[in-house]
């Protein structure tokens, strides 16, 4: 009887230890890093399209990326000029994000992209950029 109980517990323990478990960030720094990586993954197509536009090339390459700033803004209605067109009524939130890229293209420039999502579809698009060439 004890042998069967021991065997059941042993098999159950082995099953629990071998099953894949999701990884959760317990430290705030790790969680912040995961959120940054998730956002950069979502912005990847916008980043590549922006680089293709800037460098007028079919292929855009870069070595590293990071979010340098995120600004949360709220739409406002100006009486005579209408309002900013976003996917919600006046008073909706939209974001401006700065993404820093390193070793971009053949010249290995550092590029900072300025992205915004105040369009009716809330898709991000490039509103500007800054290139810092390597010496």
């Amino acid at each position: 009887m004890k042998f069967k109980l021991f065997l059941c517990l042993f098999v159950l323990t082995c099953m629990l230890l071998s099953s894949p478990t999701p990884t959760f960030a317990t430290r705030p720094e790790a969680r912040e890093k995961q959120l940054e990586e998730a956002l950069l993954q979502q912005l990847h197509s916008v980043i590549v399209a922006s680089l293709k536009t800037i460098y007028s090339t079919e292929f855009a390459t870069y070595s590293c990326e990071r979010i340098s700033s995120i600004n949360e803004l709220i739409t406002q209605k100006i009486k005579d000029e209408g309002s900013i067109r976003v996917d919600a009524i006046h008073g909706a939130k939209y974001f401006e994000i700065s993404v820093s890229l390193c070793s971009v293209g053949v010249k290995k420039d550092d590029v900072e992209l300025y992205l915004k999502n105040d369009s009716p579809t809330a898709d991000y698009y490039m509103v500007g950029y800054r290139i810092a060439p390597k010496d």
Side-chain angles (χ1 to χ4, degrees), residues 36-63:
E36 180 182 22
E37 289 174 3
L39 181 56
L40 286 169
Q41 184 179 21
Q42 292 298 311
L43 293 173
H44 180 74
S45 60
V46 176
I47 291 169
V48 170
S50 299
L51 291 176
K52 287 179 180 180
T53 302
I54 294 168
Y55 287 97
S56 301
T57 183
E58 186 61 30
F59 301 103
T61 61
Y62 56 92
S63 294

Side-chain angles (χ1 to χ4, degrees), residues 6-124:
F6 174 75
L7 185 61
C8 287
L9 289 175
F10 178 74
V11 170
L12 182 62
T13 304
C14 289
M15 287 175 39
L16 288 174
L17 291 176
S18 66
S19 66
T21 57
T23 57
F24 296 105
T26 55
R27 298 184 326 270
E29 310 87 41
R31 180 172 168 77
E32 196 173 293
K33 183 68 175 164
Q34 284 180 337
L35 289 171
E36 180 182 22
E37 289 174 3
L39 181 56
L40 286 169
Q41 184 179 21
Q42 292 298 311
L43 293 173
H44 180 74
S45 60
V46 176
I47 291 169
V48 170
S50 299
L51 291 176
K52 287 179 180 180
T53 302
I54 294 168
Y55 287 97
S56 301
T57 183
E58 186 61 30
F59 301 103
T61 61
Y62 56 92
S63 294
C64 62
E65 60 189 350
R66 71 176 186 84
I67 302 221
S68 30
S69 71
I70 298 177
N71 295 317
E72 179 183 6
L73 302 167
I74 298 174
T75 60
Q76 296 179 353
K77 183 174 182 177
I78 301 172
K79 288 184 180 181
D80 296 334
E81 298 178 20
S83 63
I84 298 174
R85 300 182 60 159
V86 294
D87 63 336
I89 311 173
H90 310 300
K93 293 180 186 179
Y94 66 98
F95 296 91
E96 292 178 342
I97 298 177
S98 298
V99 178
S100 296
L101 306 170
C102 63
S103 299
V104 178
V106 178
K107 295 181 181 178
K108 305 295 182 197
D109 297 330
D110 290 337
V111 177
E112 186 159 12
L113 299 175
Y114 306 109
L115 309 173
K116 190 187 277 191
N117 76 332
D118 65 349
S119 66
T121 59
D123 292 332
Y124 282 92

